[in-house]
Amino acid sequence: MSGNEDEQTDRVRNQGKADGLFRACMDEIRSSHTTGQALRTATLAAGLLSDRCCYAELLGQFYVATVALEKRMDELIKNSDYKKPLLVAKVKKLGYSFTSGYENDLQALLGQEWKSIIKSWTTEPAKQYVQRLEAANDVECVAASFILHGPLVIGGGAMLKPRVERAFGESATNVFEDVTGTAKGGRSSRRREFIDLYDSLLENDSVAKDQFAAIVEKCGEFMKLNNQIMIAVRQMPWWRKYVAASAAAIVSAVVWRFIATKAESSTMTNSSPNVTA
């Protein structure tokens, strides 16, 4: 992670309470987050935003995980005991749901057959992520929301949207609709609301200590799953083959030049007169 990204992450982290849940979760994912930032930089350098298939494949992995999370959150809330509200119900009140945005973007990128394409592109780490989220409990959903929703809400969505729009058009930016511009009062307000929600999540809870530790631990686990998803993508940018071909041609030219030079040197040595004492 660059120095600027370190500083930015620290600034966001320090907006949480000193001993609060938000800071604890940020501290837990720090090393994995650094890895994630490096992977993001590498994927951008490798052509993520120069090829719609590359972008759609990665988007699709986070789409299937997000669908599983949001469905599970709704299931838990629907089946909960109203006398004891779930933590995830409080998170749900933030009002974020990214499933439809992902779906609209994938259709814009891949066309009407996007569902079958994403199904065929879903990697093993993404499948494992989905399986885990489909059976997630209240605490795990709170942690997964921090990892899957949090980056978009806190500021990542606002930073990424203009780059995606320049690359693929406005029709591929639906997932950012609720986390950019003046939505929910603007970026600072969205960030403040998210941070305050997590810091107040366990107030007046008799088992807060155990839940606090569990949420922090699960955040670390889900962040690692995010990174595994990024490592597992397989699509290559359309121009990669031309770069590879050019590189091969250059290497070939250098090798043949080396061989020719060696041969010339050998010929000159063999044709030189012997010098005797």
Side-chain angles (χ1 to χ4, degrees):
M1 189 190 298
S2 70
N4 287 339
E5 288 176 328
D6 274 330
E7 292 172 6
Q8 184 177 357
T9 299
D10 285 339
R11 282 198 299 270
V12 172
R13 177 256 185 203
N14 291 339
Q15 290 179 39
K17 292 181 180 178
D19 296 316
L21 181 60
F22 182 81
R23 279 200 189 191
C25 290
M26 290 294 289
D27 289 343
E28 176 68 18
I29 68 174
R30 179 175 289 275
S31 62
S32 292
H33 185 261
T34 300
T35 302
Q37 292 281 15
L39 288 170
R40 184 197 68 188
T41 300
T43 55
L44 289 171
L48 179 69
L49 293 180
S50 67
D51 186 291
R52 63 180 53 239
C53 287
C54 288
Y55 178 63
E57 182 192 22
L58 185 58
L59 197 70
Q61 309 312 301
F62 286 99
Y63 161 68
V64 297
T66 300
V67 170
L69 168 63
E70 293 179 357
K71 283 185 176 179
R72 184 57 178 165
M73 290 172 72
D74 288 341
E75 289 172 358
L76 289 174
I77 293 169
K78 181 180 179 180
N79 297 323
S80 66
D81 182 351
Y82 71 93
K83 294 180 181 179
K84 186 180 180 182
L86 295 174
L87 296 176
V88 75
K90 299 178 183 179
V91 174
K92 186 74 174 178
K93 286 182 179 179
L94 286 171
Y96 293 107
S97 177
F98 296 100
T99 294
S100 62
Y102 274 115
E103 291 175 345
N104 291 333
D105 289 349
L106 289 168
Q107 181 169 327
L109 291 162
L110 299 174
Q112 294 297 323
E113 301 300 317
W114 70 268
K115 289 184 179 180
S116 61
I117 295 172
I118 292 303
K119 184 177 181 179
S120 69
W121 282 356
T122 302
T123 63
E124 283 305 312
K127 291 176 182 177
Q128 293 170 14
Y129 207 164
V130 167
Q131 289 176 354
R132 180 159 183 185
L133 291 171
E134 287 176 339
N137 60 26
D138 185 31
V139 163
E140 289 171 328
C141 282
V142 169
S145 183
F146 187 93
I147 299 303
L148 288 171
H149 288 181
L152 289 169
V153 176
I154 289 172
M159 290 187 290
L160 190 56
K161 180 183 178 180
R163 302 182 70 175
V164 174
E165 186 171 353
R166 285 195 299 270
F168 309 118
E170 186 178 2
S171 62
T173 63
N174 295 282
V175 75
F176 307 118
E177 183 177 349
D178 291 335
V179 293
T180 54
T182 59
K184 296 183 181 294
R187 186 190 304 188
S188 296
S189 294
R190 291 189 296 267
R191 179 183 295 169
R192 184 74 263 160
E193 182 183 36
F194 187 88
I195 293 171
D196 289 347
L197 181 280
Y198 273 83
D199 276 342
S200 64
L201 198 60
L202 297 174
E203 288 180 354
N204 304 318
D205 195 309
S206 60
V207 293
K209 186 176 180 179
D210 290 340
Q211 290 179 317
F212 187 106
I215 291 170
V216 171
E217 179 185 357
K218 299 306 176 185
C219 278
E221 293 175 6
F222 287 129
M223 189 67 203
K224 289 177 181 177
L225 287 172
N226 273 23
N227 292 343
Q228 290 171 16
I229 279 179
M230 295 184 72
I231 293 170
V233 292
R234 299 181 294 266
Q235 297 297 313
M236 296 295 179
W238 62 268
W239 46 262
R240 181 73 174 266
K241 60 182 179 182
Y242 297 108
V243 173
S246 297
I250 292 170
V251 171
S252 179
V254 170
V255 169
W256 279 109
R257 179 58 183 163
F258 176 78
I259 292 172
T261 301
K262 291 290 287 183
E264 182 179 349
S265 176
S266 177
T267 300
M268 290 178 65
T269 301
N270 291 337
S271 62
S272 299
N274 293 327
V275 178
T276 58

